[in-house]
Structure formats: structure tokens, C-alpha cells
Amino acid sequence: MSMTVEMAKIAIEGVILKTEKSIEREVAYQKELADDRAALSHVEQLQTDGEPLPTGNPYGSFSEWKEQIEKEIKISQNSLDRIEIEKAELMALKYFMENAPTTPET
């Protein structure tokens, strides 16, 4: 069975809602990224100052601690990059919804 424009629009409505919900998380990812960068800076400063690892720290070394924070930074940045793509996809989907020809009802 071939898909009609109306069928495509129905399917795309769900995709639009899902994409909009994903984009709503952008601010949270930005905050997380800023927090992680601040944490990395703090850890680097502790290391530079020759401070010992804090008591109860789950990492065996400053290097291990920094590696974990850098992984978290990369995850947040990847999420923000994905959201930029989703914004473009959302624009295209909305354009299709507004401009795709509909077949007249008979």
C-alpha cells in the first residue's frame, strides 16, 4: 500500500511532538555542560595547587577524575549538537505539514 500525503502527515505529527520534547531539554544540557566545565576547571585547579584528592572521592587520581568529567562534557556537547539537527528537522517537518498538497475530499 502506498502512503498518501494525509497518512504521512498523521505519522509526522507524532515525530514533531517527540522532536519538540527533545528540543525542550536544550537548556538542561547547556546547564549541565556549564556545570561540568566548571567542575573540570575546579579539579584542574586542585591538581595545580597540589591539593590531595578529597576524602571520599571515588576516583583514584586527578587524571581519572578529569577523564570522567571530560566524558560527561562530550556527552552533553553531543546532545546539544543533536538538538541543533533536530531543530533543522523540525523546521523541515513543519514546512512539509504546512505546504504538502492535500487531496480534495470526495
Side-chain angles (χ1 to χ4, degrees), residues 1 18 25 33 45 51 60 85:
M1 171 169 98
K18 181 180 172 188
R25 293 190 291 272
L33 182 59
Q45 189 62 50
E51 297 287 331
I85 298 298

Side-chain angles (χ1 to χ4, degrees), residues 41-54 62 65:
S41 177
H42 177 70
V43 170
E44 288 172 338
Q45 189 62 50
L46 288 174
Q47 186 178 23
T48 299
D49 292 346
E51 297 287 331
L53 283 172
F62 280 106
W65 195 2

Side-chain angles (χ1 to χ4, degrees), residues 20-36:
E20 287 173 337
K21 289 221 180 272
S22 178
I23 292 170
E24 287 174 6
R25 293 190 291 272
E26 181 178 23
V27 172
Y29 287 126
Q30 289 171 337
K31 183 182 180 321
E32 188 175 306
L33 182 59
D35 290 347
D36 289 340

